[in-house]
């Protein structure tokens, strides 16, 4: 039995460690996925995308992040080859945090350089411009929030499997396995064990539905120099991201039925763990592909279609530390990020703080409920 255990350990370590280079590579390409008029969270004319100095800053950032990613990947790979879970997990946790911290720190460093260069070149908007898109052709948008109702049958199936298989569950149910596939912790059989996976799926569905809602409610950026084109590019990006969110969330929600089957003994807890890791990797890869194809907010699509060359609008003053948007006069609660893929919040709106507090309360309640059940 040692050979299969060894193979399982190696597979789990390799799969887990794969998250580090994927995370690192995503940060490496981030500056090249932003709008042409945004360089390290600083507004510049679109034509400046071809500026040699700004391009050199992007390359320096990419080289630094690529080097860090390579070092962490080698360390994690060594741990996986030596079948040392401690090294691999430490690299995964600490390495991922280090990548994110260094990415943000470098962004701030180069942001200061871009700001100085912007002042030196005298780039500034003479007037703030906004635009509304009116036309016969419909603009693409995120898919309907109703698609999240598909989580309901997944929760029903999860509960049904647990209820039907409850009699076959052992008195002590495996709860945790190590990287060798050995069970290291058990929990006592109880009706709450059946409900825990349902609650996990419900919480996951709530998080995914909220993320989907933020896309639908987000401020839709539009370039005053090319309003129709920019609206089309952003709509395509939002639609692709919402589809990934729905499909990916539904696939991840299969964790509920898989957990029930593991509790019953139909599949091993170790196999269930592999299932989760593989799904997580697939979603990360899918997110990277969409990001590279569309760019942040559809930036790469917009570039291929052409865009304006002048600095028509500048709201740098509302972006604190490059990534925190604070504008009490903007009614929008959500808007696309300036450095990264996805959406962020308008921290100048009281409703955002209420949403954050509500989310924190819900998360704490969920953690406590699952801890009690399991």
């Amino acid at each position: 039995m040692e050979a299969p255990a060894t193979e399982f350990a190696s597979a789990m370590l390799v799969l887990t460690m794969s998250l580090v280079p994927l995370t690192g590579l995503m940060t490496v390409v981030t500056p090249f996925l932003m709008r042409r008029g945004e360089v390290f969270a600083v507004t510049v004319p679109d034509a400046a995308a071809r500026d040699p100095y700004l391009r050199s800053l992007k390359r320096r950032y990419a080289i630094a992040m690529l080097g860090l990613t390579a070092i962490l990947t080698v360390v994690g790979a060594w741990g996986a080859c030596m079948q040392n879970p401690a090294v691999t997990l430490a690299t995964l946790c600490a390495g991922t945090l280090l990548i994110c911290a260094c990415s943000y720190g470098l962004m701030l460093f180069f942001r200061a350089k871009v700001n100085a260069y912007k002042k030196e070149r005298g780039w500034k908007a003479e007037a703030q411009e906004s635009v509304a898109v009116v036309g016969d052709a419909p603009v693409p948008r995120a898919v309907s929030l109703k698609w999240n109702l598909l989580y309901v049958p997944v929760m029903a199936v999860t509960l049904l499997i647990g209820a039907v298989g409850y009699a076959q569950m052992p008195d002590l149910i495996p709860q945790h396995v190590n990287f060798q596939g050995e069970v290291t912790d058990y929990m006592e059989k109880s009706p709450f064990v059946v409900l825990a996976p349902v609650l996990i799926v419900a919480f996951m569905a709530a998080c995914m539905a909220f993320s989907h809602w933020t896309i639908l409610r987000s401020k839709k950026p539009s370039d005053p120099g090319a309003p129709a084109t920019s609206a089309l590019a952003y709509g395509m990006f939002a639609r692709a991201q919402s589809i990934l969110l729905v499909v990916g969330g539904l696939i991840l929600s299969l964790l509920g039925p898989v957990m029930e089957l593991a509790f019953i003994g139909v599949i091993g807890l170790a196999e269930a763990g592999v299932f989760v890791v593989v799904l997580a990797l697939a979603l990360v890869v899918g997110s990277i592909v969409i990001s590279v194809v569309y760019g942040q907010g559809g930036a790469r699509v917009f570039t291929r279609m052409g865009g304006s060359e002048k600095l028509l609008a500048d709201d740098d003053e509302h972006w604190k530390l490059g990534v925190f948007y604070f504008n009490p006069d903007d009614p929008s609660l959500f808007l696309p990020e300036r450095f990264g893929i996805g959406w962020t919040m308008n921290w100048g709106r009281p409703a955002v703080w209420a949403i954050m507090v509500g989310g924190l309360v819900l998360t704490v309640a969920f953690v406590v409920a699952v801890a009690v059940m399991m």
Side-chain angles (χ1 to χ4, degrees):
M1 294 295 292
E2 186 172 343
T6 301
E7 293 176 0
F8 171 81
S10 300
M12 281 298 292
L13 289 173
V14 170
L15 287 172
T16 303
M17 190 54 221
S18 298
L19 291 170
V20 172
L22 287 174
T23 302
L25 290 176
M26 191 63 221
T27 64
V28 169
V29 301
T30 293
F32 306 96
L33 302 181
M34 301 298 101
R35 293 174 54 195
R36 291 189 301 180
E38 293 175 355
V39 179
F40 291 110
V42 178
T43 302
V44 299
D46 281 5
R50 297 185 290 271
D51 185 283
Y53 178 69
L54 297 183
R55 294 175 71 176
S56 70
L57 294 183
K58 291 181 181 181
R59 286 196 297 269
R60 287 165 58 186
Y61 167 92
I63 291 172
M65 291 308 303
L66 187 61
L68 176 62
T69 300
I71 293 172
L72 292 173
T73 300
V74 169
V75 173
W78 177 82
C81 291
M82 298 299 294
Q83 294 188 13
N84 190 327
V87 172
T88 301
L89 288 177
T91 304
L92 173 63
C93 298
T96 302
L97 290 175
L98 183 61
I99 286 174
C100 294
C102 287
S103 173
Y104 182 63
L106 284 173
M107 184 277 291
L108 291 177
F109 175 75
F110 288 115
R111 178 173 181 258
K113 289 184 173 296
V114 175
N115 264 322
Y117 189 63
K118 178 180 178 179
K119 292 179 181 178
E120 177 186 323
R121 298 301 298 269
W123 289 332
K124 62 180 180 178
E126 296 181 1
Q128 297 293 342
E129 297 187 25
S130 58
V131 62
V133 179
V134 179
D136 296 330
V139 175
R141 57 173 298 173
V143 298
S144 172
L145 196 62
K146 293 179 181 178
W147 283 99
N148 290 279
L149 292 174
L150 290 175
Y151 286 106
V152 175
V154 176
M155 287 186 280
V157 169
T158 302
L159 181 60
L160 180 62
I161 293 175
V164 172
Y166 184 73
Q168 284 71 47
M169 290 183 186
D171 293 332
L172 289 177
I173 301 172
Q175 185 179 16
H176 181 268
V177 294
N178 58 23
F179 274 89
Q180 282 70 43
E182 302 167 343
V183 179
T184 58
D185 194 13
Y186 294 86
M187 56 185 169
E188 294 183 1
K189 174 182 176 180
S190 74
F192 290 119
V193 172
V194 175
L195 295 176
V198 180
L199 182 60
I200 291 174
V201 175
F203 181 75
M204 186 184 305
C207 292
M208 293 298 183
F210 173 75
S211 298
H212 191 168
W213 179 70
T214 63
I215 297 177
L216 290 169
R217 293 295 301 252
S218 171
K219 181 179 183 178
K220 299 173 177 57
S222 186
D223 192 311
T229 303
S230 58
L232 175 62
Y234 174 78
M236 293 171 65
F237 169 76
R239 186 173 184 82
Q241 288 285 4
S242 65
I243 291 173
L244 175 67
L245 194 64
V246 171
V247 174
L250 287 171
I251 292 176
L252 277 181
S253 70
L254 295 178
L255 170 64
V258 168
M259 287 180 65
E260 299 284 13
L261 291 174
F263 293 165
I264 297 171
V266 175
I267 62 174
L269 196 59
E271 286 72 18
V274 172
F275 173 81
V276 173
V277 175
V278 169
L279 286 184
L281 285 174
L283 290 179
V284 171
V285 172
S287 178
I288 291 176
V289 170
I290 288 179
S291 300
V292 171
V293 170
Y294 292 92
Q296 167 61 352
R300 291 176 64 82
V301 176
F302 182 59
T303 298
R304 290 193 291 268
M305 293 178 176
S308 61
E309 295 291 314
K310 299 179 180 180
L311 181 52
L312 300 176
D314 187 345
D315 62 349
D316 286 0
E317 62 180 297
H318 300 304
W319 289 92
K320 313 303 180 182
L321 298 177
V323 295
F324 300 102
Y325 185 73
F326 189 92
N327 185 1
D329 296 325
D330 187 345
S332 304
L333 298 180
F334 312 103
L335 68 162
E337 290 187 11
R338 265 211 164 179
F339 192 80
I341 303 299
W343 287 262
T344 188
M345 298 182 177
N346 179 5
W347 297 99
R349 303 298 300 176
V352 164
W353 292 96
I355 290 173
M356 292 301 296
V357 171
L360 178 61
V361 171
L362 178 63
T363 301
V364 171
F366 164 74
V367 172
V368 171
V370 171
V372 170
M373 290 180 178
M374 301 180 67

